[in-house]
Amino acid sequence: MGASSGIGLGLAEALASRGVAVGLAARHTKKLLDLQARFPDCVAYERIDITHQNAPELLSKLIESTGGMDIYIHASGIGMDNAELDPQKEADVVNTNATGFARMLSAAYRYFRERGGKGQIAAITSVAGTNGIGCLAAYSASKAFGQKYLVALEQLAHLENTDVSFTDIRPGWVDTPLLLQNHKYPMEMSVDYVVPRIIRAIARKRRVEVIDWRWDIVVALWRCIPNALWVSAGTFAALASAPLPSGDDEKL
């Protein structure tokens, strides 16, 4: 889900090139059509906007066209710099990264539960979910929502005794359309660098995977900072507070 650019496109191409049957979905379908032309025996696609209420029904249609689903990978999201706290921008981020996230992950979980409870749900959240970030308030909060939602689904799976595993992928800055072009971000990584690490984490059914080890250290340090110090000393958030575009480019 979210396969039209960035991380999602990189994952789609990597899996299809290995002969894995993949169902691809995104708001924009040009790249999905291109992948289907390159890998006709492996790729099916559907135009899905996760902010629309019919998205779960369209996901079911896509699953049917691929003959079933073993792993659901959620790579869809948006982010934008919004220090001015424009209400529409804040609402758009929450609608996609929180409401849309819950809409699609719950749909995937219901699919697995209704078919005997075996499967895997993997979602790309972000290291930004570690703490609230001033100019990225809605973005960082929505990523924290995604992380907690995965915990809640995992608890539900345990209570229902279903064999569904969960993988929370938390990358740092990745060179995707989400970032400003011609701007250097701290410890920025390429899609080609992160995709094999994501695939490995999913294959190993890692519960939480921070990408990469440098960000793992940074996240550990962020967690040690008391809220009062985090709020008053903005330098601690410097690695997380680099600007994003003001538009609604997908982090896909």
Side-chain angles (χ1 to χ4, degrees), residues 156-179:
L156 182 61
H158 178 75
L159 292 172
E160 295 182 338
N161 196 30
T162 60
D163 188 18
V164 179
S165 60
F166 300 86
T167 300
D168 182 353
I169 308 294
R170 303 178 183 180
W173 293 116
V174 181
D175 184 15
T176 71
L178 182 70
L179 304 188

Side-chain angles (χ1 to χ4, degrees), residues 148-213:
K148 294 302 181 184
Y149 197 83
L150 285 165
V151 173
L153 284 185
E154 185 178 29
Q155 184 187 70
L156 182 61
H158 178 75
L159 292 172
E160 295 182 338
N161 196 30
T162 60
D163 188 18
V164 179
S165 60
F166 300 86
T167 300
D168 182 353
I169 308 294
R170 303 178 183 180
W173 293 116
V174 181
D175 184 15
T176 71
L178 182 70
L179 304 188
L180 287 172
Q181 299 303 303
N182 302 317
H183 181 92
K184 186 62 178 177
Y185 290 78
M187 299 189 296
E188 183 179 323
M189 300 170 288
S190 69
V191 170
D192 288 342
Y193 177 82
V194 303
V195 162
R197 288 161 174 79
I198 292 173
I199 292 175
R200 184 162 58 245
I202 293 172
R204 294 176 178 177
K205 295 187 176 181
R206 292 289 301 273
R207 179 58 188 83
V208 175
E209 182 76 2
V210 177
I211 299 175
D212 60 5
W213 64 269

